[in-house]
Amino acid sequence: MKFFVMYAESCIEEYAVPGADIFELERGCLNSEFQFLDHLPLSVEISDEGGIYFPDFILKGTIPLISTAMKRTLDKFGVDYLFYKPIQLTYSALGRAENYFLALPPRINCIDTSKSIIEVEKNDFILPTELIREVKKICIAENQIGRYDIFKLAGVVNQEIIITEKLKTALAEGNFENVFFYELEG
């Protein structure tokens, strides 16, 4: 089975950039800690550092936002395990608002440790379980993903959103703006 990293470009000048209020979601998004998030709608003014074009996928640091159309595709595909929160991106000066969803994947233990390259922090002053671990070469253990077609890696600091080839195909057919993929080495 092939796996891909899904990402968004963040340096396109025309794309809207969520303002500072979006960072209230950062703690929950960093490690997929859903207990620090709620499902209540959030309205966020867009920042002056971007444009006023609203693509289908926006990745602001660790915070993934998807358009309503992209969410419909995920729903149709059967993805029912993401944490969703309605987000309205607004541009008050023009009286414009666009609806998005925080679409946060769960973190699962699925790293094939025999094929992956994992870098572990060297620090004699903390417990081994507290050491920072980062996967430099990601290999997925297929038998560990279960029914999940989109997820993040558990137990490491990596922020990659990983998807299966089936979901990549479905998203690519949707021709969504600012949704890109690269294949993980096997």
Side-chain angles (χ1 to χ4, degrees), residues 138-185:
I138 300 171
C139 291
I140 304 297
E142 287 181 42
N143 63 345
Q144 298 292 7
I145 66 164
R147 67 184 187 92
Y148 283 10
D149 286 294
I150 181 171
F151 53 88
K152 287 186 169 190
L153 302 173
V156 294
V157 297
N158 295 63
Q159 293 299 319
E160 290 90 348
I161 297 173
I162 300 171
I163 63 173
T164 61
E165 185 174 22
K166 293 182 301 186
L167 181 55
K168 177 202 174 272
T169 300
L171 290 171
E173 287 172 0
N175 291 317
F176 296 113
E177 178 116 22
N178 203 32
V179 180
F180 299 99
F181 313 95
Y182 66 83
E183 187 175 348
L184 292 175
E185 296 177 29

Side-chain angles (χ1 to χ4, degrees), residues 39-66:
H39 295 286
L40 298 174
L42 176 66
S43 182
V44 176
E45 186 76 17
I46 64 170
S47 169
D48 292 338
E49 56 184 78
I52 57 170
Y53 186 78
F54 294 87
D56 290 295
F57 187 39
I58 298 173
L59 198 52
K60 180 68 174 174
T62 62
I63 304 166
L65 303 178
I66 63 171

Side-chain angles (χ1 to χ4, degrees), residues 15-172:
Y15 288 165
V17 174
D21 289 344
I22 199 74
F23 289 113
E24 77 177 57
L25 305 173
E26 191 171 38
R27 181 176 183 188
C29 291
L30 182 63
N31 293 312
S32 295
E33 294 176 311
F34 301 151
Q35 72 270 27
F36 298 116
L37 301 168
D38 61 43
H39 295 286
L40 298 174
L42 176 66
S43 182
V44 176
E45 186 76 17
I46 64 170
S47 169
D48 292 338
E49 56 184 78
I52 57 170
Y53 186 78
F54 294 87
D56 290 295
F57 187 39
I58 298 173
L59 198 52
K60 180 68 174 174
T62 62
I63 304 166
L65 303 178
I66 63 171
S67 67
T68 302
M70 195 167 163
K71 182 179 184 303
R72 275 194 299 272
T73 297
L74 291 173
D75 290 344
K76 194 162 108 175
F77 194 81
V79 174
D80 60 358
Y81 42 84
L82 298 186
F83 183 94
Y84 289 116
K85 179 180 179 75
I87 307 289
Q88 187 175 65
L89 296 181
T90 60
Y91 187 50
S92 300
L94 291 179
R96 189 156 173 217
E98 294 289 330
N99 293 322
Y100 281 83
F101 288 89
L102 167 67
L104 186 60
R107 286 186 177 264
I108 60 173
N109 288 310
C110 62
I111 300 168
D112 184 336
T113 55
S114 66
K115 295 180 182 174
S116 296
I117 298 173
I118 303 171
E119 197 172 89
V120 181
E121 167 188 38
K122 294 187 184 352
N123 188 331
D124 295 332
F125 300 104
I126 59 175
L127 297 172
T129 56
E130 296 173 338
L131 293 173
I132 295 173
R133 298 167 27 114
E134 182 177 3
V135 184
K136 295 297 187 178
K137 178 185 176 196
I138 300 171
C139 291
I140 304 297
E142 287 181 42
N143 63 345
Q144 298 292 7
I145 66 164
R147 67 184 187 92
Y148 283 10
D149 286 294
I150 181 171
F151 53 88
K152 287 186 169 190
L153 302 173
V156 294
V157 297
N158 295 63
Q159 293 299 319
E160 290 90 348
I161 297 173
I162 300 171
I163 63 173
T164 61
E165 185 174 22
K166 293 182 301 186
L167 181 55
K168 177 202 174 272
T169 300
L171 290 171

